[in-house]
Amino acid sequence: MSLLVVGSMAFDSIKSPFGEVERVVGGSATYFSLAASYFASVRLVSVVGRDFPKETIEMMSARGIDLQGLKIADGETFHWKGYYEYDLNTAHTVRTDLNVFKDFVPALPAAWRETPFVFLGNIDPRLQLDILAQVRNPRIVALDTMNFWIGKSPQLLREVIRNVDILILNEAEVRQITGEFNLVKAARMLMGMGPGRVVIKRGEYGVLHLSDGQIFAAPAYPLEMIFDPTGAGDSFAGGFMGYLASRGDGALTEMDYRLATMYGSAIASFTVEAFSTDRLQGLTKEDIANRISSFRSLTEFRV
Ligand code: AMP
């Protein structure tokens, strides 16, 4: 089934303890759509400037991502500059240049209004609300955000949270929104605001997935080589939502959500093995299946 995403497409300048890159391709919608493209047909809504590489657009299109909703505007592409210290779970922002996003008004192609699965990726909550107003009766809407928007537009963000089914956030964002340190209590507070599920990304500690009366904990894949955690969260969300969308139109079971969490974790584990989308864009079905089996043996035990 189809899966719609709105989010950023970007140039990222990143420093990690393992190297430094300038203006490589990134962005929440870029990572999300590439990850989801292994499972479902993805419809992307975003904006880039004329400086964005044509090869990336062609590569995304070759992966089957529908780019009718991508606007190429006069001006510069969104740019994010950040760094990580040895704690790779925390991204420090040095600067955020919104550029072409400043005046972006997303217009959903008419045929996309009925898309059943929707991901409101990390971007201005104003744009997330714009998209929500244009879709009709989606089955599942999930939301991501980050500290930049939690601080800048808290009211608008609350309104988005009220209207989605699943929150996919990292632990720092969960704590920042709720003011509660304990993640189980914080997730309950978030569910009290509207969403029925909260998926908390905890970097190298894995993922906590909470819904009414249920908690599922997935580990992160223990890699020996991690180059750059940028995009891991969006790749997780892409694998997660992509897997749900691949289940067709029957009712989703708790096990579907658990498997979605494992597929998201598997895809994210590839993203961090290289800078930018280098590893993510060239996966095979076999790569993904092998990592899922590794996850199985990692967590299997008998009593
Ligand atoms: P994550 O998957 O959480 O590591 O997100 C990484 C991506 O978020 C990077 O590729 C950035 O381009 C993008 N990003 C950083 N800051 C923002 C922002 N304020 N709004 C939208 N996207 C952002």
Side-chain angles (χ1 to χ4, degrees), residues 77-302:
T77 297
F78 178 96
H79 175 231
W80 177 70
K81 184 173 175 147
Y83 68 93
Y84 302 87
E85 292 172 335
Y86 276 101
D87 169 14
L88 294 175
N89 294 344
T90 312
H92 302 276
T93 295
V94 176
R95 58 184 295 171
T96 303
D97 303 312
L98 294 176
N99 297 336
V100 286
F101 267 102
K102 265 191 227 132
D103 313 306
F104 180 53
V105 181
L108 216 54
W112 288 12
R113 288 175 183 257
E114 314 269 338
T115 311
F117 291 83
V118 178
F119 183 66
L120 305 174
N122 176 23
I123 198 58
D124 192 333
R126 173 184 62 83
L127 298 179
Q128 296 175 322
L129 283 174
D130 267 358
I131 291 293
L132 265 186
Q134 293 178 61
V135 287
R136 289 199 203 104
N137 298 321
R139 270 186 75 190
I140 293 188
V141 182
L143 167 75
D144 188 11
T145 189
M146 72 178 290
N147 50 11
F148 184 86
W149 302 111
I150 300 170
K152 200 168 179 217
S153 309
Q155 294 311 326
L156 282 180
L157 186 62
R158 290 252 162 173
E159 203 178 323
V160 193
I161 292 176
R162 252 201 308 281
N163 288 290
V164 302
D165 307 293
I166 308 178
L167 292 179
I168 305 180
L169 300 172
N170 72 33
E171 57 186 334
E173 291 151 4
V174 166
R175 289 179 175 132
Q176 190 183 353
I177 294 174
T178 60
E180 168 61 55
F181 187 82
N182 181 289
L183 292 177
V184 179
K185 284 188 190 159
R188 207 171 295 131
M189 287 167 74
L190 290 169
M191 288 191 270
M193 296 177 195
R197 277 173 199 277
V198 179
V199 181
I200 307 177
K201 300 168 285 183
R202 307 185 61 224
E204 63 183 310
Y205 306 111
V207 172
L208 267 185
H209 181 145
L210 301 102
S211 59
D212 189 21
Q214 299 250 13
I215 302 185
F216 177 58
Y221 190 71
L223 291 165
E224 267 188 53
M225 295 295 277
I226 299 182
F227 273 95
D228 171 22
T230 308
D234 299 304
S235 306
F236 170 86
F240 179 92
M241 288 296 283
Y243 180 78
L244 292 182
S246 78
R247 299 303 292 155
D249 48 15
L252 290 165
T253 64
E254 198 56 38
M255 193 50 73
D256 287 324
Y257 284 104
R258 289 186 175 210
L259 272 169
T261 305
M262 298 319 300
Y263 275 98
S265 302
I267 296 279
S269 74
F270 290 113
T271 295
V272 301
E273 287 180 330
F275 277 104
S276 188
T277 59
D278 292 0
R279 183 76 176 103
L280 177 64
Q281 69 195 51
L283 298 177
T284 62
K285 286 216 148 69
E286 238 188 348
D287 291 329
I288 299 169
N290 288 340
R291 197 140 289 179
I292 287 286
S293 315
S294 306
F295 264 111
R296 240 173 110 166
S297 38
L298 189 66
T299 48
E300 190 171 348
F301 65 91
R302 284 181 238 286

